[in-house]
Coordinates of all heavy atoms in Angstrom, one line a residue:
L178 N -38.0 -106.4 -118.9 CA -38.3 -105.7 -117.6 C -37.7 -104.3 -117.6 O -38.4 -103.4 -117.2 CB -37.7 -106.6 -116.5 CG -37.9 -106.0 -115.1 CD1 -39.3 -105.9 -114.7 CD2 -37.1 -106.9 -114.1
L179 N -36.5 -104.2 -118.0 CA -35.8 -102.9 -117.9 C -36.5 -101.9 -118.9 O -36.7 -100.7 -118.5 CB -34.3 -103.0 -118.3 CG -33.5 -101.7 -118.4 CD1 -33.5 -101.0 -117.1 CD2 -32.1 -102.0 -118.9
W180 N -36.8 -102.3 -120.1 CA -37.4 -101.5 -121.1 C -38.8 -101.0 -120.7 O -39.1 -99.8 -120.9 CB -37.4 -102.2 -122.4 CG -38.1 -101.4 -123.6 CD1 -39.4 -101.5 -124.0 CD2 -37.4 -100.5 -124.4 NE1 -39.6 -100.6 -125.0 CE2 -38.4 -100.0 -125.3 CE3 -36.1 -100.0 -124.5 CZ2 -38.1 -99.1 -126.3 CZ3 -35.8 -99.1 -125.4 CH2 -36.8 -98.6 -126.3
L181 N -39.6 -101.9 -120.1 CA -41.0 -101.6 -119.9 C -41.3 -101.1 -118.5 O -42.3 -100.3 -118.3 CB -41.8 -102.8 -120.2 CG -41.8 -103.4 -121.6 CD1 -42.5 -104.7 -121.7 CD2 -42.3 -102.4 -122.6
A182 N -40.5 -101.4 -117.5 CA -40.9 -101.2 -116.1 C -40.1 -100.2 -115.3 O -40.6 -99.7 -114.3 CB -41.0 -102.5 -115.4
L183 N -38.8 -100.0 -115.7 CA -38.0 -99.2 -114.8 C -37.7 -97.8 -115.4 O -37.2 -97.7 -116.6 CB -36.7 -99.9 -114.5 CG -36.7 -101.0 -113.4 CD1 -35.3 -101.6 -113.3 CD2 -37.1 -100.4 -112.1
P184 N -37.9 -96.7 -114.7 CA -37.4 -95.4 -115.1 C -35.9 -95.2 -114.9 O -35.3 -96.0 -114.3 CB -38.2 -94.5 -114.2 CG -38.5 -95.2 -113.0 CD -38.6 -96.7 -113.4
E185 N -35.4 -94.2 -115.5 CA -34.0 -93.8 -115.4 C -33.7 -93.3 -114.0 O -34.3 -92.4 -113.5 CB -33.6 -92.8 -116.4 CG -32.2 -92.2 -116.2 CD -31.1 -93.2 -116.3 OE1 -31.1 -94.0 -117.3 OE2 -30.3 -93.3 -115.3
P186 N -32.8 -93.9 -113.2 CA -32.5 -93.5 -111.8 C -31.6 -92.3 -111.7 O -31.6 -91.7 -110.6 CB -31.9 -94.8 -111.2 CG -31.2 -95.4 -112.3 CD -32.0 -95.2 -113.5
L187 N -30.8 -92.0 -112.7 CA -29.8 -90.9 -112.6 C -30.4 -89.6 -113.1 O -30.7 -89.5 -114.3 CB -28.5 -91.3 -113.3 CG -27.4 -90.2 -113.2 CD1 -26.9 -90.2 -111.8 CD2 -26.2 -90.6 -114.1
A188 N -30.5 -88.6 -112.2 CA -31.0 -87.3 -112.6 C -30.1 -86.6 -113.6 O -28.9 -86.7 -113.5 CB -31.2 -86.4 -111.4
P189 N -30.7 -85.9 -114.6 CA -29.8 -85.2 -115.5 C -28.8 -84.2 -114.9 O -27.7 -84.1 -115.4 CB -30.9 -84.4 -116.4 CG -32.1 -85.2 -116.2 CD -32.1 -85.7 -114.8
A190 N -29.1 -83.6 -113.8 CA -28.2 -82.7 -113.2 C -27.0 -83.4 -112.6 O -25.9 -82.7 -112.4 CB -28.9 -82.0 -112.0
Q191 N -27.0 -84.7 -112.4 CA -25.9 -85.4 -111.9 C -25.0 -86.1 -112.9 O -24.0 -86.8 -112.6 CB -26.4 -86.5 -110.9 CG -27.0 -85.9 -109.6 CD -27.4 -87.0 -108.7 OE1 -28.0 -88.0 -109.0 NE2 -27.0 -86.9 -107.4
R192 N -25.3 -85.9 -114.2 CA -24.6 -86.5 -115.2 C -23.2 -85.8 -115.5 O -23.2 -84.6 -115.4 CB -25.4 -86.7 -116.5 CG -26.6 -87.5 -116.2 CD -27.5 -87.8 -117.4 NE -28.7 -88.5 -117.0 CZ -29.7 -88.9 -117.8 NH1 -29.6 -88.7 -119.1 NH2 -30.7 -89.5 -117.3
Q193 N -22.2 -86.6 -115.9 CA -20.9 -86.1 -116.0 C -20.4 -86.1 -117.4 O -20.9 -86.8 -118.3 CB -19.9 -87.0 -115.1 CG -20.3 -87.0 -113.7 CD -20.1 -85.7 -113.0 OE1 -19.1 -85.1 -113.1 NE2 -21.2 -85.2 -112.3
S194 N -19.3 -85.4 -117.6 CA -18.6 -85.4 -119.0 C -18.0 -86.8 -119.3 O -17.6 -87.5 -118.4 CB -17.5 -84.4 -119.0 OG -16.7 -84.5 -120.1
I195 N -18.0 -87.1 -120.6 CA -17.5 -88.4 -121.0 C -16.1 -88.2 -121.7 O -15.6 -89.1 -122.3 CB -18.4 -89.1 -122.0 CG1 -18.1 -90.6 -122.1 CG2 -18.5 -88.4 -123.3 CD1 -19.1 -91.4 -122.8
H196 N -15.6 -87.0 -121.6 CA -14.2 -86.7 -122.2 C -13.2 -87.6 -121.6 O -13.2 -87.9 -120.4 CB -13.8 -85.3 -122.1 CG -14.8 -84.3 -122.8 ND1 -15.0 -84.4 -124.1 CD2 -15.5 -83.3 -122.3 CE1 -15.8 -83.4 -124.5 NE2 -16.2 -82.8 -123.4
L197 N -12.3 -88.1 -122.4 CA -11.2 -89.0 -121.9 C -10.5 -88.4 -120.7 O -10.2 -89.1 -119.8 CB -10.3 -89.4 -123.0 CG -9.1 -90.4 -122.7 CD1 -9.7 -91.7 -122.2 CD2 -8.2 -90.6 -123.9
H198 N -10.2 -87.1 -120.8 CA -9.5 -86.5 -119.7 C -10.3 -86.6 -118.4 O -9.7 -86.8 -117.4 CB -9.2 -85.0 -120.1 CG -8.6 -84.2 -119.0 ND1 -7.3 -84.4 -118.6 CD2 -9.1 -83.3 -118.1 CE1 -7.0 -83.5 -117.6 NE2 -8.1 -82.9 -117.3
S199 N -11.6 -86.4 -118.5 CA -12.4 -86.4 -117.3 C -12.5 -87.9 -116.7 O -12.4 -88.1 -115.5 CB -13.8 -86.0 -117.6 OG -13.8 -84.6 -118.0
I200 N -12.5 -88.8 -117.6 CA -12.6 -90.2 -117.2 C -11.3 -90.6 -116.5 O -11.3 -91.2 -115.4 CB -12.8 -91.2 -118.4 CG1 -14.1 -90.9 -119.0 CG2 -12.6 -92.6 -118.0 CD1 -14.3 -91.7 -120.3
V201 N -10.1 -90.2 -117.1 CA -8.8 -90.5 -116.5 C -8.7 -89.8 -115.2 O -8.2 -90.4 -114.2 CB -7.7 -90.2 -117.5 CG1 -6.3 -90.3 -116.8 CG2 -7.8 -91.1 -118.7
R202 N -9.1 -88.6 -115.1 CA -9.0 -87.8 -113.9 C -9.9 -88.4 -112.8 O -9.4 -88.5 -111.6 CB -9.5 -86.3 -114.2 CG -9.4 -85.4 -113.0 CD -10.2 -84.1 -113.3 NE -11.6 -84.3 -113.5 CZ -12.4 -83.6 -114.2 NH1 -11.9 -82.5 -114.9 NH2 -13.7 -83.9 -114.4
N203 N -11.1 -88.9 -113.1 CA -11.9 -89.5 -112.1 C -11.2 -90.8 -111.5 O -11.2 -91.0 -110.3 CB -13.3 -89.8 -112.7 CG -14.1 -88.6 -112.9 OD1 -13.8 -87.5 -112.3 ND2 -15.1 -88.7 -113.7
Y204 N -10.7 -91.6 -112.4 CA -10.1 -92.8 -112.0 C -8.8 -92.5 -111.2 O -8.5 -93.2 -110.1 CB -9.8 -93.7 -113.2 CG -11.0 -94.4 -113.7 CD1 -11.1 -94.6 -115.1 CD2 -12.0 -95.0 -112.9 CE1 -12.2 -95.3 -115.7 CE2 -13.1 -95.6 -113.4 CZ -13.2 -95.8 -114.8 OH -14.3 -96.4 -115.3
R205 N -8.1 -91.5 -111.6 CA -6.8 -91.2 -110.8 C -7.2 -90.7 -109.5 O -6.6 -91.0 -108.5 CB -6.1 -90.1 -111.6 CG -4.7 -89.7 -111.0 CD -4.1 -88.6 -111.8 NE -3.8 -89.0 -113.1 CZ -3.9 -88.2 -114.2 NH1 -4.3 -87.0 -114.0 NH2 -3.6 -88.7 -115.4
F206 N -8.3 -89.9 -109.4 CA -8.7 -89.3 -108.1 C -9.1 -90.5 -107.2 O -8.7 -90.5 -106.0 CB -9.9 -88.4 -108.3 CG -10.6 -88.0 -107.1 CD1 -10.1 -87.1 -106.2 CD2 -11.9 -88.6 -106.7 CE1 -10.8 -86.8 -105.0 CE2 -12.5 -88.3 -105.6 CZ -12.0 -87.4 -104.7
L207 N -9.8 -91.5 -107.7 CA -10.3 -92.6 -106.9 C -9.1 -93.4 -106.4 O -9.0 -93.8 -105.2 CB -11.2 -93.5 -107.6 CG -12.6 -92.8 -107.9 CD1 -13.3 -93.7 -109.0 CD2 -13.4 -92.7 -106.7
L208 N -8.1 -93.6 -107.2 CA -7.0 -94.5 -106.9 C -6.0 -93.8 -105.9 O -5.2 -94.4 -105.2 CB -6.2 -94.9 -108.1 CG -6.9 -95.9 -109.0 CD1 -6.1 -96.0 -110.3 CD2 -7.0 -97.2 -108.3
R209 N -6.1 -92.4 -105.8 CA -5.4 -91.7 -104.8 C -6.1 -91.6 -103.5 O -5.5 -91.0 -102.5 CB -5.0 -90.3 -105.3 CG -4.0 -90.3 -106.5 CD -3.8 -88.9 -107.0 NE -2.7 -88.9 -108.0 CZ -2.4 -87.8 -108.8 NH1 -3.1 -86.7 -108.6 NH2 -1.5 -87.9 -109.7
H210 N -7.3 -92.0 -103.4 CA -8.1 -92.0 -102.2 C -7.9 -93.2 -101.4 O -8.3 -94.3 -101.7 CB -9.6 -91.8 -102.6 CG -10.5 -91.4 -101.5 ND1 -10.9 -92.2 -100.4 CD2 -11.0 -90.2 -101.2 CE1 -11.6 -91.5 -99.6 NE2 -11.7 -90.3 -100.0
R211 N -7.1 -93.1 -100.3 CA -6.7 -94.3 -99.5 C -7.8 -95.2 -99.1 O -7.8 -96.4 -99.2 CB -5.9 -93.8 -98.3 CG -5.5 -94.9 -97.3 CD -4.7 -94.4 -96.1 NE -5.4 -93.3 -95.5 CZ -6.5 -93.4 -94.7 NH1 -7.0 -94.6 -94.5 NH2 -7.0 -92.4 -94.2
E212 N -8.9 -94.6 -98.5 CA -10.0 -95.4 -98.1 C -10.7 -96.1 -99.2 O -11.1 -97.3 -99.1 CB -11.0 -94.5 -97.3 CG -10.5 -94.1 -95.9 CD -11.5 -93.5 -95.0 OE1 -12.7 -93.4 -95.5 OE2 -11.3 -93.2 -93.9
F213 N -10.9 -95.4 -100.3 CA -11.5 -96.1 -101.5 C -10.6 -97.4 -101.9 O -11.2 -98.4 -102.1 CB -11.5 -95.2 -102.7 CG -12.0 -95.9 -104.0 CD1 -13.4 -96.0 -104.2 CD2 -11.1 -96.3 -104.9 CE1 -13.8 -96.7 -105.3 CE2 -11.5 -97.0 -106.0 CZ -12.9 -97.2 -106.3
V214 N -9.3 -97.2 -101.9 CA -8.5 -98.3 -102.3 C -8.6 -99.5 -101.2 O -8.6 -100.6 -101.6 CB -7.0 -97.9 -102.4 CG1 -6.1 -99.1 -102.6 CG2 -6.9 -96.9 -103.6
G215 N -8.7 -99.1 -100.0 CA -8.8 -100.1 -98.9 C -10.1 -100.9 -99.0 O -10.1 -102.1 -99.0
Y216 N -11.2 -100.2 -99.2 CA -12.5 -100.9 -99.4 C -12.5 -101.7 -100.7 O -13.0 -102.8 -100.7 CB -13.6 -99.8 -99.5 CG -13.9 -99.2 -98.2 CD1 -14.0 -97.8 -98.1 CD2 -14.3 -99.9 -97.0 CE1 -14.3 -97.1 -96.9 CE2 -14.6 -99.3 -95.8 CZ -14.6 -97.9 -95.8 OH -14.9 -97.3 -94.6
M217 N -11.9 -101.2 -101.7 CA -11.9 -101.9 -103.0 C -11.1 -103.2 -102.9 O -11.5 -104.2 -103.4 CB -11.2 -101.0 -104.1 CG -11.1 -101.6 -105.4 SD -10.4 -100.5 -106.7 CE -8.7 -100.3 -106.0
L218 N -9.9 -103.1 -102.3 CA -9.1 -104.3 -102.2 C -9.7 -105.4 -101.2 O -9.6 -106.6 -101.4 CB -7.7 -104.0 -101.7 CG -6.8 -103.2 -102.8 CD1 -5.5 -102.9 -102.2 CD2 -6.7 -104.0 -104.1
A219 N -10.3 -104.9 -100.1 CA -11.0 -105.8 -99.2 C -12.1 -106.6 -100.0 O -12.3 -107.8 -99.8 CB -11.6 -105.0 -98.1
C220 N -12.9 -105.8 -100.8 CA -13.9 -106.4 -101.6 C -13.3 -107.4 -102.6 O -13.8 -108.5 -102.8 CB -14.7 -105.3 -102.3 SG -16.1 -105.9 -103.3
A221 N -12.3 -107.0 -103.3 CA -11.7 -107.7 -104.4 C -11.1 -109.0 -103.9 O -11.3 -110.1 -104.5 CB -10.7 -106.9 -105.2
F222 N -10.3 -109.0 -102.9 CA -9.6 -110.2 -102.4 C -10.6 -111.2 -101.8 O -10.5 -112.4 -102.1 CB -8.5 -109.9 -101.4 CG -7.2 -109.3 -102.0 CD1 -6.8 -108.1 -101.7 CD2 -6.5 -110.1 -102.9 CE1 -5.6 -107.6 -102.3 CE2 -5.3 -109.6 -103.5 CZ -4.9 -108.4 -103.2
T223 N -11.5 -110.7 -101.1 CA -12.5 -111.6 -100.5 C -13.4 -112.3 -101.5 O -13.6 -113.5 -101.4 CB -13.4 -110.8 -99.5 OG1 -12.6 -110.1 -98.5 CG2 -14.4 -111.7 -98.7
F224 N -13.8 -111.5 -102.5 CA -14.5 -112.1 -103.7 C -13.7 -113.1 -104.4 O -14.2 -114.1 -104.9 CB -15.0 -111.0 -104.6 CG -15.7 -111.5 -105.8 CD1 -17.0 -112.0 -105.7 CD2 -15.1 -111.6 -107.0 CE1 -17.7 -112.4 -106.8 CE2 -15.7 -112.1 -108.2 CZ -17.1 -112.5 -108.1
A225 N -12.4 -112.8 -104.6 CA -11.5 -113.7 -105.3 C -11.4 -115.1 -104.6 O -11.3 -116.1 -105.3 CB -10.1 -113.1 -105.4
G226 N -11.5 -115.1 -103.3 CA -11.6 -116.4 -102.6 C -12.8 -117.2 -103.0 O -12.8 -118.4 -103.2
L227 N -13.9 -116.5 -103.1 CA -15.2 -117.1 -103.6 C -15.0 -117.7 -105.0 O -15.4 -118.8 -105.3 CB -16.3 -116.1 -103.6 CG -17.6 -116.5 -104.4 CD1 -18.2 -117.8 -103.9 CD2 -18.6 -115.3 -104.3
F228 N -14.3 -116.9 -105.9 CA -14.1 -117.3 -107.3 C -13.2 -118.5 -107.4 O -13.3 -119.3 -108.3 CB -13.7 -116.1 -108.1 CG -13.7 -116.4 -109.6 CD1 -14.9 -116.5 -110.3 CD2 -12.6 -116.7 -110.3 CE1 -15.0 -116.8 -111.6 CE2 -12.6 -117.0 -111.7 CZ -13.8 -117.0 -112.3
A229 N -12.2 -118.5 -106.5 CA -11.3 -119.7 -106.4 C -12.1 -121.0 -106.2 O -11.9 -122.0 -106.8 CB -10.2 -119.5 -105.4
F230 N -13.1 -120.8 -105.3 CA -14.0 -122.0 -105.0 C -14.8 -122.3 -106.2 O -15.0 -123.5 -106.6 CB -14.9 -121.6 -103.8 CG -16.0 -122.6 -103.6 CD1 -15.7 -123.9 -103.0 CD2 -17.3 -122.4 -103.9 CE1 -16.7 -124.8 -102.8 CE2 -18.3 -123.3 -103.7 CZ -18.0 -124.5 -103.1
L231 N -15.4 -121.3 -106.9 CA -16.2 -121.6 -108.1 C -15.4 -122.3 -109.2 O -15.9 -123.1 -109.9 CB -16.7 -120.2 -108.7 CG -17.7 -119.5 -107.8 CD1 -18.2 -118.2 -108.5 CD2 -18.9 -120.3 -107.4
S232 N -14.1 -121.9 -109.3 CA -13.2 -122.5 -110.3 C -12.9 -123.9 -110.1 O -12.8 -124.7 -111.0 CB -11.9 -121.6 -110.4 OG -12.2 -120.3 -110.8
G233 N -12.7 -124.3 -108.8 CA -12.3 -125.6 -108.5 C -13.3 -126.6 -108.0 O -13.1 -127.8 -107.9
A234 N -14.5 -126.0 -107.5 CA -15.5 -126.9 -106.8 C -16.0 -128.0 -107.6 O -16.1 -129.2 -107.1 CB -16.6 -126.0 -106.3
A235 N -16.3 -127.8 -108.9 CA -16.9 -128.9 -109.7 C -15.9 -130.0 -109.9 O -16.3 -131.2 -109.8 CB -17.3 -128.3 -111.0
F236 N -14.6 -129.7 -110.1 CA -13.6 -130.8 -110.3 C -13.3 -131.5 -109.0 O -13.1 -132.7 -109.0 CB -12.4 -130.2 -110.9 CG -12.6 -129.6 -112.3 CD1 -12.8 -128.3 -112.6 CD2 -12.7 -130.5 -113.4 CE1 -13.0 -127.8 -113.9 CE2 -12.9 -130.0 -114.7 CZ -13.1 -128.7 -114.9
V237 N -13.3 -130.7 -107.9 CA -13.0 -131.3 -106.6 C -14.2 -132.2 -106.2 O -14.0 -133.4 -105.8 CB -12.7 -130.3 -105.5 CG1 -12.7 -130.9 -104.1 CG2 -11.4 -129.6 -105.8
L238 N -15.4 -131.7 -106.2 CA -16.6 -132.4 -105.7 C -17.1 -133.5 -106.6 O -17.4 -134.6 -106.2 CB -17.7 -131.4 -105.4 CG -17.5 -130.4 -104.2 CD1 -18.6 -129.5 -104.1 CD2 -17.2 -131.1 -102.9
I239 N -17.1 -133.2 -107.9 CA -17.6 -134.2 -108.9 C -16.6 -135.2 -109.3 O -16.8 -136.4 -109.2 CB -18.2 -133.5 -110.1 CG1 -19.4 -132.6 -109.7 CG2 -18.6 -134.5 -111.2 CD1 -19.9 -131.7 -110.8
E240 N -15.4 -134.8 -109.7 CA -14.4 -135.7 -110.2 C -13.6 -136.4 -109.1 O -13.4 -137.6 -109.1 CB -13.5 -135.0 -111.1 CG -14.1 -134.6 -112.5 CD -13.1 -134.2 -113.5 OE1 -11.9 -133.9 -113.2 OE2 -13.4 -134.3 -114.7
F241 N -13.2 -135.6 -108.0 CA -12.3 -136.2 -107.0 C -13.2 -136.9 -105.9 O -12.8 -138.0 -105.5 CB -11.5 -135.1 -106.4 CG -10.6 -135.6 -105.3 CD1 -9.5 -136.5 -105.6 CD2 -10.8 -135.2 -104.0 CE1 -8.7 -136.9 -104.6 CE2 -9.9 -135.7 -103.0 CZ -8.8 -136.5 -103.3
L242 N -14.3 -136.3 -105.5 CA -15.0 -136.9 -104.4 C -16.2 -137.7 -104.9 O -16.9 -138.3 -104.1 CB -15.5 -135.7 -103.4 CG -14.4 -135.0 -102.7 CD1 -14.9 -133.9 -101.9 CD2 -13.6 -136.0 -101.8
G243 N -16.5 -137.7 -106.2 CA -17.5 -138.6 -106.8 C -19.0 -138.1 -106.6 O -19.9 -139.0 -106.7
I244 N -19.2 -136.9 -106.3 CA -20.6 -136.4 -106.2 C -21.2 -136.2 -107.6 O -20.5 -135.8 -108.5 CB -20.6 -135.1 -105.4 CG1 -20.2 -135.3 -104.0 CG2 -22.0 -134.4 -105.5 CD1 -19.9 -134.0 -103.2
S245 N -22.5 -136.6 -107.8 CA -23.1 -136.5 -109.1 C -23.3 -135.0 -109.4 O -23.5 -134.2 -108.5 CB -24.4 -137.3 -109.1 OG -25.4 -136.6 -108.3
A246 N -23.4 -134.8 -110.7 CA -23.6 -133.4 -111.2 C -25.0 -132.9 -110.7 O -25.1 -131.7 -110.4 CB -23.6 -133.3 -112.7
Q247 N -26.0 -133.8 -110.6 CA -27.3 -133.3 -110.2 C -27.3 -132.9 -108.7 O -28.0 -132.1 -108.3 CB -28.4 -134.5 -110.4 CG -28.6 -134.8 -111.9 CD -27.8 -136.0 -112.3 OE1 -26.6 -136.0 -112.1 NE2 -28.4 -136.9 -113.0
H248 N -26.5 -133.6 -107.9 CA -26.4 -133.3 -106.5 C -25.4 -132.2 -106.1 O -25.4 -131.8 -105.0 CB -26.1 -134.6 -105.7 CG -27.2 -135.6 -105.8 ND1 -26.9 -137.0 -105.6 CD2 -28.5 -135.5 -106.1 CE1 -28.1 -137.7 -105.8 NE2 -29.0 -136.8 -106.0
F249 N -24.6 -131.8 -107.1 CA -23.6 -130.8 -106.8 C -24.2 -129.5 -106.3 O -23.7 -128.9 -105.3 CB -22.8 -130.5 -108.1 CG -21.9 -129.3 -108.0 CD1 -20.6 -129.4 -107.5 CD2 -22.3 -128.1 -108.5 CE1 -19.8 -128.3 -107.4 CE2 -21.5 -127.0 -108.4 CZ -20.2 -127.1 -107.9
G250 N -25.3 -129.1 -106.8 CA -26.0 -127.9 -106.4 C -26.5 -127.9 -105.0 O -26.5 -126.9 -104.3
Y251 N -26.8 -129.1 -104.5 CA -27.3 -129.2 -103.1 C -26.1 -128.9 -102.1 O -26.3 -128.3 -101.1 CB -27.9 -130.5 -102.8 CG -29.2 -130.7 -103.6 CD1 -29.2 -131.7 -104.7 CD2 -30.4 -130.0 -103.3 CE1 -30.4 -131.9 -105.4 CE2 -31.5 -130.2 -104.1 CZ -31.5 -131.1 -105.1 OH -32.7 -131.3 -105.8
Y252 N -25.0 -129.4 -102.4 CA -23.8 -129.1 -101.6 C -23.5 -127.6 -101.7 O -23.1 -126.9 -100.8 CB -22.6 -129.9 -102.0 CG -22.7 -131.3 -101.6 CD1 -23.2 -132.3 -102.4 CD2 -22.2 -131.7 -100.4 CE1 -23.3 -133.6 -102.0 CE2 -22.2 -133.0 -99.9 CZ -22.8 -134.0 -100.7 OH -22.9 -135.3 -100.3
F253 N -23.7 -127.0 -102.9 CA -23.4 -125.6 -103.2 C -24.2 -124.7 -102.3 O -23.9 -123.6 -102.0 CB -23.5 -125.3 -104.7 CG -22.9 -124.1 -105.1 CD1 -21.5 -124.1 -105.4 CD2 -23.6 -122.9 -105.2 CE1 -20.9 -122.9 -105.9 CE2 -23.0 -121.7 -105.7 CZ -21.7 -121.7 -106.0
T254 N -25.5 -125.2 -102.0 CA -26.4 -124.4 -101.2 C -25.8 -124.1 -99.8 O -26.3 -123.1 -99.2 CB -27.8 -125.0 -101.1 OG1 -27.6 -126.3 -100.6 CG2 -28.4 -125.1 -102.5
L255 N -24.9 -125.0 -99.3 CA -24.3 -124.7 -98.0 C -23.5 -123.4 -98.1 O -23.6 -122.6 -97.1 CB -23.4 -125.8 -97.6 CG -24.1 -127.2 -97.2 CD1 -23.0 -128.2 -97.0 CD2 -24.9 -127.0 -96.0
A256 N -22.8 -123.2 -99.1 CA -22.0 -122.0 -99.3 C -23.0 -120.8 -99.5 O -22.8 -119.7 -98.9 CB -21.1 -122.1 -100.5
V257 N -24.0 -120.9 -100.2 CA -25.0 -119.9 -100.5 C -25.7 -119.5 -99.2 O -26.0 -118.4 -98.9 CB -25.9 -120.2 -101.6 CG1 -27.0 -119.1 -101.8 CG2 -25.2 -120.4 -102.9
G258 N -26.0 -120.6 -98.4 CA -26.6 -120.3 -97.1 C -25.8 -119.5 -96.2 O -26.3 -118.6 -95.5
G259 N -24.5 -119.7 -96.2 CA -23.5 -118.9 -95.5 C -23.6 -117.5 -95.9 O -23.6 -116.5 -95.1
Y260 N -23.6 -117.3 -97.3 CA -23.6 -115.9 -97.8 C -24.9 -115.2 -97.4 O -24.9 -114.0 -97.0 CB -23.5 -116.0 -99.3 CG -23.6 -114.7 -100.0 CD1 -22.4 -113.9 -100.0 CD2 -24.7 -114.2 -100.7 CE1 -22.4 -112.6 -100.7 CE2 -24.7 -113.0 -101.3 CZ -23.6 -112.2 -101.3 OH -23.6 -111.0 -101.9
I261 N -26.0 -115.9 -97.5 CA -27.3 -115.2 -97.1 C -27.3 -114.9 -95.6 O -27.7 -113.8 -95.2 CB -28.5 -116.2 -97.4 CG1 -28.6 -116.3 -98.9 CG2 -29.8 -115.6 -96.8 CD1 -29.7 -117.3 -99.3
T262 N -26.7 -115.7 -94.8 CA -26.6 -115.5 -93.4 C -25.8 -114.2 -93.1 O -26.1 -113.3 -92.3 CB -25.9 -116.6 -92.6 OG1 -26.8 -117.8 -92.8 CG2 -25.8 -116.3 -91.1
G263 N -24.7 -114.1 -93.8 CA -23.8 -112.9 -93.7 C -24.5 -111.6 -94.1 O -24.4 -110.6 -93.5
T264 N -25.2 -111.7 -95.3 CA -25.9 -110.4 -95.8 C -27.0 -110.0 -94.8 O -27.2 -108.8 -94.6 CB -26.4 -110.6 -97.2 OG1 -27.3 -111.8 -97.2 CG2 -25.3 -110.9 -98.2
L265 N -27.8 -111.0 -94.3 CA -28.9 -110.6 -93.4 C -28.3 -110.1 -92.1 O -28.9 -109.1 -91.5 CB -29.8 -111.8 -93.2 CG -30.5 -112.3 -94.4 CD1 -31.3 -113.6 -94.0 CD2 -31.5 -111.2 -94.9
F266 N -27.3 -110.7 -91.6 CA -26.6 -110.2 -90.4 C -26.2 -108.7 -90.6 O -26.4 -107.9 -89.7 CB -25.4 -111.1 -90.0 CG -24.6 -110.6 -88.9 CD1 -24.9 -110.8 -87.6 CD2 -23.4 -109.9 -89.2 CE1 -24.1 -110.3 -86.5 CE2 -22.6 -109.4 -88.1 CZ -23.0 -109.6 -86.8
A267 N -25.5 -108.5 -91.7 CA -25.0 -107.1 -92.0 C -26.2 -106.1 -92.2 O -26.1 -105.0 -91.7 CB -24.1 -107.1 -93.2
G268 N -27.2 -106.6 -92.9 CA -28.4 -105.7 -93.1 C -29.0 -105.3 -91.8 O -29.4 -104.1 -91.7
R269 N -29.1 -106.2 -90.9 CA -29.8 -105.9 -89.6 C -29.0 -105.0 -88.7 O -29.5 -104.2 -87.9 CB -30.2 -107.2 -88.8 CG -31.3 -108.0 -89.5 CD -31.6 -109.2 -88.7 NE -32.1 -108.9 -87.4 CZ -33.4 -108.7 -87.1 NH1 -34.3 -108.7 -88.0 NH2 -33.7 -108.4 -85.8
L270 N -27.6 -105.2 -88.8 CA -26.7 -104.5 -87.8 C -26.0 -103.3 -88.4 O -25.1 -102.7 -87.8 CB -25.8 -105.5 -87.2 CG -26.4 -106.6 -86.3 CD1 -25.4 -107.5 -85.8 CD2 -27.2 -106.0 -85.2
S271 N -26.2 -103.0 -89.7 CA -25.4 -102.0 -90.4 C -25.5 -100.6 -89.7 O -24.6 -99.9 -89.6 CB -25.8 -101.9 -91.9 OG -27.1 -101.5 -92.0
R272 N -26.7 -100.2 -89.3 CA -26.9 -99.0 -88.6 C -26.3 -98.9 -87.3 O -25.8 -97.9 -86.8 CB -28.4 -98.6 -88.5 CG -29.1 -98.3 -89.9 CD -30.6 -98.2 -89.8 NE -31.2 -97.8 -91.0 CZ -32.5 -97.8 -91.2 NH1 -33.3 -98.2 -90.3 NH2 -33.0 -97.5 -92.4
R273 N -26.4 -100.0 -86.5 CA -25.9 -100.1 -85.2 C -24.3 -100.2 -85.1 O -23.7 -99.5 -84.3 CB -26.5 -101.3 -84.4 CG -26.1 -101.3 -82.9 CD -26.6 -102.6 -82.3 NE -28.0 -102.9 -82.6 CZ -28.6 -104.0 -82.2 NH1 -27.9 -105.0 -81.6 NH2 -29.8 -104.2 -82.5
L274 N -23.7 -101.0 -86.0 CA -22.3 -101.2 -85.9 C -21.5 -100.3 -86.9 O -20.4 -100.0 -86.7 CB -22.0 -102.7 -86.2 CG -22.5 -103.7 -85.2 CD1 -22.1 -105.1 -85.6 CD2 -22.0 -103.4 -83.8
G275 N -22.1 -100.0 -88.0 CA -21.4 -99.2 -89.0 C -20.7 -100.1 -90.0 O -20.4 -101.2 -89.7
I276 N -20.2 -99.5 -91.1 CA -19.6 -100.2 -92.1 C -18.3 -100.8 -91.7 O -18.0 -102.0 -91.9 CB -19.4 -99.3 -93.3 CG1 -20.7 -99.0 -94.1 CG2 -18.4 -99.9 -94.3 CD1 -20.6 -98.0 -95.2
N277 N -17.4 -100.0 -91.0 CA -16.1 -100.5 -90.7 C -16.1 -101.7 -89.7 O -15.3 -102.6 -89.8 CB -15.2 -99.4 -90.2 CG -14.8 -98.4 -91.3 OD1 -15.0 -98.7 -92.5 ND2 -14.3 -97.2 -91.0
R278 N -16.9 -101.6 -88.6 CA -16.9 -102.7 -87.6 C -17.4 -104.0 -88.3 O -16.9 -105.0 -88.0 CB -17.8 -102.3 -86.5 CG -17.2 -101.3 -85.5 CD -17.9 -101.3 -84.2 NE -17.4 -100.3 -83.3 CZ -17.9 -99.1 -83.1 NH1 -19.0 -98.7 -83.8 NH2 -17.4 -98.2 -82.2

Side-chain angles (χ1 to χ4, degrees):
L178 175 64
L179 176 63
W180 178 264
L181 299 173
L183 278 181
E185 171 58 53
L187 184 65
Q191 292 184 312
R192 298 184 186 183
Q193 301 294 307
S194 169
I195 199 174
H196 296 302
L197 181 61
H198 174 73
S199 299
I200 295 172
V201 173
R202 182 189 63 206
N203 288 342
Y204 284 141
R205 185 184 299 144
F206 168 75
L207 291 168
L208 289 171
R209 288 177 176 174
H210 195 284
R211 175 181 48 77
E212 288 192 355
F213 174 84
V214 174
Y216 288 126
M217 177 179 67
L218 291 179
C220 181
F222 281 120
T223 307
F224 177 78
L227 163 60
F228 191 72
F230 171 74
L231 296 180
S232 298
F236 294 101
V237 168
L238 293 177
I239 295 174
E240 290 197 340
F241 181 68
L242 296 176
I244 293 169
S245 69
Q247 294 95 313
H248 294 157
F249 171 82
Y251 294 110
Y252 285 91
F253 198 82
T254 56
L255 290 174
V257 177
Y260 180 75
I261 293 174
T262 300
T264 56
L265 293 178
F266 173 83
R269 290 180 64 86
L270 297 179
S271 61
R272 289 174 178 168
R273 187 188 309 173
L274 296 179
I276 287 174
N277 287 347
R278 284 197 183 98

